[in-house]
Amino acid sequence: MTLNIGDIAPNFELPDTELKLRTLDEFKGKKIVLSFIVAASSPVCETELCTLRDSWQEIADLGAQVIAISNDGPFANKAFAEKNNFNFPLLGDYASKTIRDYDILMPDLLHIKGYNAAKRSVFIIMEDGKIGYKWVSEDPLKEPNYEEIKNFLK
C-alpha cells in the first residue's frame, strides 16, 4: 500500500543503538523528520545523517525531531552513530517490517539476492500523526533536498 500525504503514518517498534525499543507514538506532539537510509556506514548515508546532525538545532527550533531508520541491526547502527556523534535516534529495522509498512523496500540491493534495504526516503510526520511531506528516491545515491525539508518545517 502506497502512503500519501495526509495518510496516518504507520507506527513502529524498533530497537535503538542501546537496544531500547522505540515507537513512533513516543514522539507524538511534535513534527518528526523520519529519514530512512540505505545502509549504515555507507558514504551517502553518512553524508545525509551528518547533514541532519549539523542541522539539528535549526530543526529542533522548528519544533521537529529527527529519527533515522536503517535496515541494519542495532550493533552496526551503534558503531555508525558513535563514529558520527548522531544526536537523534538511529533505529534498526533488520526485519524490514517498517520499511515495508512505509512501502519503500528496495529488494536485492546491489543485485545481491535477499539483501533488502530501504529506499532513501524522508517523511515528515505532523503533530497529528499524518504524513505532511514525502520524498522517496529510486536512486540510493541521491540525497534529499535539505533546504526543502527545512522550508517545509517552517
Side-chain angles (χ1 to χ4, degrees), residues 31-91:
K31 294 180 195 105
I32 299 164
V33 178
L34 188 60
S35 172
F36 288 88
I37 63 168
V38 180
S41 298
S42 64
V44 179
C45 295
E46 189 163 3
T47 299
E48 178 180 346
L49 294 191
C50 286
T51 301
L52 291 173
R53 175 201 64 205
D54 295 345
S55 301
W56 170 255
Q57 192 58 57
E58 185 178 359
I59 290 169
D61 288 347
L62 293 170
Q65 162 76 49
V66 173
I67 301 170
I69 297 176
S70 85
N71 205 61
D72 299 284
F75 305 108
N77 282 342
K78 183 171 184 155
F80 184 44
E82 287 178 349
K83 174 187 172 207
N84 292 289
N85 298 308
F86 295 144
N87 47 6
F88 49 81
L90 176 54
L91 309 180

Side-chain angles (χ1 to χ4, degrees), residues 55-146:
S55 301
W56 170 255
Q57 192 58 57
E58 185 178 359
I59 290 169
D61 288 347
L62 293 170
Q65 162 76 49
V66 173
I67 301 170
I69 297 176
S70 85
N71 205 61
D72 299 284
F75 305 108
N77 282 342
K78 183 171 184 155
F80 184 44
E82 287 178 349
K83 174 187 172 207
N84 292 289
N85 298 308
F86 295 144
N87 47 6
F88 49 81
L90 176 54
L91 309 180
D93 186 19
Y94 50 88
S96 302
K97 182 189 178 320
T98 301
I99 291 165
R100 283 184 175 88
D101 289 347
Y102 279 78
D103 193 36
I104 53 168
L105 183 72
M106 183 172 29
D108 305 330
L109 180 64
L110 304 172
H111 310 291
I112 300 171
K113 185 131 180 82
Y115 180 27
N116 296 328
K119 294 177 184 175
R120 188 173 312 285
S121 311
V122 175
F123 294 83
I124 297 178
I125 301 165
M126 307 308 287
E127 295 90 339
D128 63 1
K130 292 182 180 174
I131 297 168
Y133 172 94
K134 174 185 172 183
W135 176 84
V136 179
S137 178
E138 298 295 327
D139 179 357
L141 301 179
K142 184 176 181 184
E143 292 178 60
N145 183 327
Y146 305 108

